[in-house]
Amino acid sequence: MRNVLISISFIVIFLLIMLPFLGITFGAFEEGPQAFFDALVRPEALHAMKISLIIVVIVTILNAIVGIYVSLEIVRGSWISRWLKPVINALIDLPFAVSPIIVGLMVILIFGPNTAFGTFMEDHNMKIVYAVPGMVLATMFITFPLMVREVVPLLEEIGTQSEEASATLGAGAWRTFIQITWPGIRWGVLYGLILTIARALGEFGSILVVSGNIINQTQTATTLVYQDAEQFHLVAANSVAFVLGLISISILLALEWLKRRSEQLRSH
């Protein structure tokens, strides 16, 4: 039975992950390396990659700052009562349950040009929807739980005794965090950052709704793949998808290396 289950697992992995990626690889190089290279150096492809990079960098930085702070408040915050904590945890996990397309629609309904807030922002030359800020908001909502869910268990594991001792000896909050709290959560923060980068880079549904998919303006790498496939530019679509796939695989391999590295350090 064990061998049967292992075989079924490998078959599922092959059919759902390896086979599609092999198809993308063959599709990307179907017309040779030059066609693959030309698809990646197109102006629209370079711009889409640039927009994706900008979104990933901004979202990752914001998630690191906000995610660590929220994690500290959830675990250490004295204002969170016993009945309020499950509510906050449910709200944090909400992006896992909500469709990304709905997230994009929510951003439009709140910040769209036909709303009072959206009109106010545009009157002050600050466009949110169909611009990078709206894409950042949608992506951050989707990726927000990743950092919190990595850091909170570590904060609960290390407890508060060392932090309380540090405060008793006269260390300020920032010094206590750097010298006591940070060493205990740094690997969780790194995991959260890597997962955030991978998720933000591959986000499609909410970005497609919020961005409007405007060529050379609000198009990301994932929406460019969608457009190329829709217009039957299959080599171009597969080429960009192949690069995104390689980046995602590299990120996941880095995550596995970090996990093994942290386990080795803990064992020593």
Side-chain angles (χ1 to χ4, degrees):
M1 180 59 70
R2 181 172 178 270
N3 291 334
V4 170
L5 292 175
I6 292 174
S7 300
I8 293 174
S9 299
F10 275 111
I11 291 172
V12 171
I13 291 172
F14 178 78
L15 292 176
L16 296 182
I17 299 176
M18 297 178 64
L19 189 61
F21 189 72
L22 286 174
I24 290 172
T25 304
F26 286 122
F29 294 95
E30 183 179 0
E31 297 179 6
Q34 187 60 46
F36 170 78
F37 181 76
D38 291 340
L40 296 179
V41 298
R42 295 173 293 160
E44 56 267 36
L46 293 175
H47 189 273
M49 290 288 189
K50 176 185 173 183
I51 295 296
S52 292
L53 179 61
I54 291 172
I55 293 173
V56 167
V57 170
I58 295 174
V59 168
T60 302
I61 293 173
L62 291 176
N63 259 1
I65 297 171
V66 178
I68 292 172
Y69 178 76
V70 170
S71 300
L72 286 169
E73 287 297 323
I74 290 175
V75 180
R76 306 283 192 259
S78 57
W79 59 274
I80 299 181
S81 60
R82 190 173 291 179
W83 65 268
L84 186 59
K85 191 172 182 179
V87 176
I88 295 176
N89 283 324
L91 290 175
I92 291 173
D93 290 335
L94 186 62
F96 291 142
V98 177
S99 169
I101 294 177
I102 296 177
V103 174
L105 181 61
M106 288 166 52
V107 173
I108 291 178
L109 292 176
I110 298 173
F111 302 104
N114 296 325
T115 64
F117 189 78
T119 303
F120 173 81
M121 297 296 287
E122 289 195 6
D123 289 342
H124 291 79
N125 298 319
M126 292 182 288
K127 191 175 182 179
I128 296 180
V129 175
Y130 309 127
V132 172
M135 300 159 72
V136 169
L137 281 174
T139 307
M140 187 170 178
F141 181 87
I142 293 295
T143 58
F144 179 70
L146 299 174
M147 178 65 70
V148 177
R149 289 300 166 234
E150 290 291 339
V151 175
V152 165
L154 294 177
L155 286 172
E156 293 174 341
E157 181 181 343
I158 63 178
T160 60
Q161 291 182 352
S162 298
E163 295 173 357
E164 291 170 354
S166 176
T168 302
L169 293 173
W174 181 246
R175 186 176 179 183
T176 298
F177 174 79
I178 294 297
Q179 294 185 346
I180 305 299
T181 309
W182 173 252
I185 67 171
R186 59 185 177 183
W187 291 109
V189 173
L190 284 174
Y191 300 157
L193 289 177
I194 290 175
L195 291 173
T196 298
I197 292 171
R199 187 69 181 85
L201 186 64
E203 178 52 31
F204 171 72
S206 63
I207 293 293
L208 183 64
V209 175
V210 170
S211 68
N213 199 25
I214 305 171
I215 300 175
N216 290 328
Q217 291 187 37
T218 62
Q219 196 169 58
T220 63
T222 52
T223 58
L224 176 61
V225 172
Y226 169 75
Q227 177 183 287
D228 285 339
E230 198 174 44
Q231 296 177 353
F232 297 101
H233 299 155
L234 299 183
V235 172
N238 284 318
S239 298
V240 178
F242 175 77
V243 172
L244 291 176
L246 278 184
I247 295 173
S248 298
I249 291 172
S250 301
I251 289 172
L252 294 176
L253 289 175
L255 179 62
E256 288 299 317
W257 179 83
L258 284 173
K259 285 183 177 180
R260 292 191 177 186
R261 179 67 175 166
S262 65
E263 289 172 358
Q264 290 174 357
L265 291 175
R266 286 179 183 179
S267 63
H268 290 303

